[in-house]
Amino acid sequence: MPVNLPLPKAENLQPVRGVRIGTAMAGVRKAGRRDLSVWLLAEGSVVAGVFTSNRFCAAPVQVCREHLAVQPQGIRALLINTGNANAGTGADGLVRARRSCASVAQALQLSPSQVLPFSTGVIMETLPVDRIEAALPAAVAAARDDAWLEAAQAIMTTDTQPKAASRRVLIQGQAVTLTGIAKGAGMIRPNMATMLGFIATDACISAELLQRFTCEAADASFNRITIDGDTSTNDCFITVATQAAGHAPLLEASSADAQAFVAALRELAVELAQAIVRDGEGATKFISITVEGGRDEAECRLAACAIAHSPLVKTAFYASDPNLGRILAAVGYAGIGDLDQSLIDLHLGEVHVVTGGGRHPQYVEAEAARVMQAAEIEVRVHLHRGSAVSTVWTCDFSEDYVRINADYRS
């Protein structure tokens, strides 16, 4: 079961002017489930994206990058399938990704370069593009502006529940909507966290500023989560701005309106990113790890990620075992070359565990064990070498994680 993650309600997901979404059952991998979605975007929409850092990136990622480079202000449709990643498929995978774009373009009287393809699922299997093409008419015909919950369901793989949310912000007296969905539960690590994420807004904003804000939002959210330390081949985080809100365009990042917009975008992205961790494969606990007192944010994040990625740390949390020396060990091998261990402090929740690099004289293990029993746990490490801080979010490792991934292709 997800950790303190409520099911999204359709009535709480706000339509975005200029976006309609249709879903269909294509039978990409399994029959009887919605596994295909098509997003229809109003003319003039601006699209920005952040993609996986994995050099073995999937064919749809490559095609998305190509199409966005050609015309970020001319994208008119998104095509998303689950059940097949179209990764590790060589030249044939690129042919099939481009063919799927051409099929959408033909149905909507667009150019293929105005379509962005996205895939998620099993790696190194041939994309059944003929099934996608057969289901396209149904998906297009079903397109509605209030289909956000269905869209979130249609991109799930090992997720146990859909992930979706909305925000509203006032810009120049106009109500601006942001609604987003995400999927992901395993193969999750920063460097674009392994996931698909899509946020649409009716804000009026330049392509350059939307791309900047998309990168900032990703860095504050999806790049701060890890479940198992694996970086996927298919990571994508896309933002769409339809320009339909009616206010003057946002052009300067420093303006009050632009800052209000990016704050809402970042808040929504954080909610979706944390939902991925809360629904991590086999997760029973949601863990916030903050490292402060670094010389810069990068070294704080390095130490935080070392803790979050450690199987020994994560299994201890699952067992509610305050074997907290594993946290210190992870900080030590994180890669901070001149780290002074004699300065380190460690808190588990409100319990001061380590001071000056050693066991706190008043530390009582039973108090830490009590904290470890909770569904949500905060870890704080202080390096005492500067003023920088960084937080990442992770979950524990349970037997279910192994079972889910051992059975993934069955």
Side-chain angles (χ1 to χ4, degrees):
M1 292 291 292
V3 182
N4 295 336
L5 180 62
L7 275 168
K9 296 180 179 180
E11 60 268 26
N12 294 333
L13 302 175
Q14 301 297 320
V16 175
R17 288 169 288 187
V19 177
R20 293 186 296 129
I21 305 172
T23 64
M25 297 181 185
V28 172
R29 182 171 168 224
K30 294 181 179 179
R33 62 154 296 179
R34 295 186 182 275
D35 55 3
L36 185 72
S37 55
V38 178
W39 293 40
L40 310 181
L41 310 180
E43 187 174 0
S45 295
V46 172
V47 178
V50 180
F51 300 92
T52 182
S53 62
N54 192 318
R55 296 298 299 169
F56 215 100
C57 60
V61 171
Q62 298 175 59
V63 174
C64 276
R65 285 171 169 157
E66 292 171 3
H67 290 186
L68 279 174
V70 171
Q71 49 182 12
Q73 293 174 276
I75 302 300
R76 296 293 307 281
L78 312 181
L79 175 67
I80 312 165
N81 76 267
T82 187
N84 185 304
N86 194 13
T89 48
D92 179 68
L94 285 168
V95 169
R96 289 170 182 268
R98 292 186 175 118
R99 177 178 154 187
S100 68
C101 291
S103 298
V104 175
Q106 183 177 16
L108 301 176
Q109 297 184 321
L110 304 172
S111 163
S113 63
Q114 292 179 287
V115 182
L116 299 183
F118 304 89
S119 298
T120 182
V122 179
I123 295 172
M124 230 175 77
E125 291 189 0
T126 301
L127 182 71
V129 69
D130 55 331
R131 299 179 198 170
I132 291 174
E133 289 173 333
L136 267 176
V140 172
R144 313 189 319 271
D145 65 359
D146 62 348
W148 285 95
L149 185 58
E150 295 169 18
Q153 292 166 335
I155 63 173
M156 292 167 57
T157 50
T158 57
D159 309 63
T160 69
Q161 68 180 56
K163 301 162 181 68
S166 290
R167 291 290 187 279
R168 282 278 178 86
V169 62
L170 278 178
I171 296 179
Q172 300 166 19
Q174 299 293 323
V176 170
T177 301
L178 301 90
T179 297
I181 64 173
K183 65 79 52 179
M187 207 177 184
I188 302 287
R189 176 181 179 168
N191 302 318
M192 266 311 293
T194 305
M195 39 68 71
L196 295 182
F198 304 93
I199 292 177
T201 177
D202 49 14
C204 306
I205 185 171
S206 69
E208 295 77 14
L209 196 55
L210 185 65
Q211 182 63 48
R212 172 176 170 175
F213 285 167
T214 299
C215 291
E216 290 180 8
D219 193 52
S221 58
F222 297 113
N223 279 339
R224 294 178 183 270
I225 62 174
T226 179
I227 288 175
D228 48 23
D230 266 311
T231 296
S232 167
T233 54
N234 290 64
D235 309 336
C236 300
F237 171 45
I238 299 295
T239 56
V240 175
T242 65
Q243 318 293 318
H247 60 80
L250 302 177
L251 303 174
E252 298 294 334
S254 60
S255 72
D257 288 326
Q259 286 301 303
F261 171 78
V262 73
L265 177 64
R266 188 183 302 116
E267 184 180 283
L268 179 54
V270 167
E271 179 174 346
L272 294 172
Q274 289 189 357
I276 289 174
V277 174
R278 292 180 184 279
D279 194 27
E281 290 171 344
T284 69
K285 294 174 183 177
F286 176 84
I287 305 162
S288 298
I289 301 171
T290 298
V291 176
E292 53 191 334
R295 289 181 182 162
D296 54 39
E297 198 271 344
E299 71 175 24
C300 290
R301 189 183 300 195
L302 198 66
C305 287
I307 298 167
H309 293 158
S310 168
L312 290 178
V313 171
K314 293 158 77 70
T315 51
F317 275 106
Y318 171 62
S320 300
D321 176 17
N323 190 353
L324 303 176
R326 294 178 175 183
I327 295 176
L328 298 181
V331 173
Y333 65 60
I336 304 172
D338 59 346
L339 181 69
D340 186 346
Q341 64 175 294
S342 70
L343 300 178
I344 291 176
D345 278 274
L346 168 63
H347 283 80
L348 184 67
E350 75 281 7
V351 180
H352 198 167
V353 177
V354 170
T355 183
R359 185 185 184 102
H360 192 284
Q362 296 178 338
Y363 169 61
V364 177
E365 185 168 297
E367 295 179 355
R370 174 182 52 79
V371 175
M372 296 278 277
Q373 295 284 341
E376 301 203 24
I377 301 170
E378 181 184 14
V379 175
R380 290 185 295 118
V381 176
H382 205 305
L383 303 179
H384 290 289
R385 49 192 274 121
S387 58
V389 61
S390 183
T391 299
V392 302
W393 303 288
T394 191
C395 58
D396 56 341
F397 264 166
S398 69
E399 296 95 330
D400 280 346
Y401 177 86
V402 177
R403 177 187 56 77
I404 291 166
N405 283 281
D407 295 339
Y408 183 65
R409 295 204 305 160
S410 61

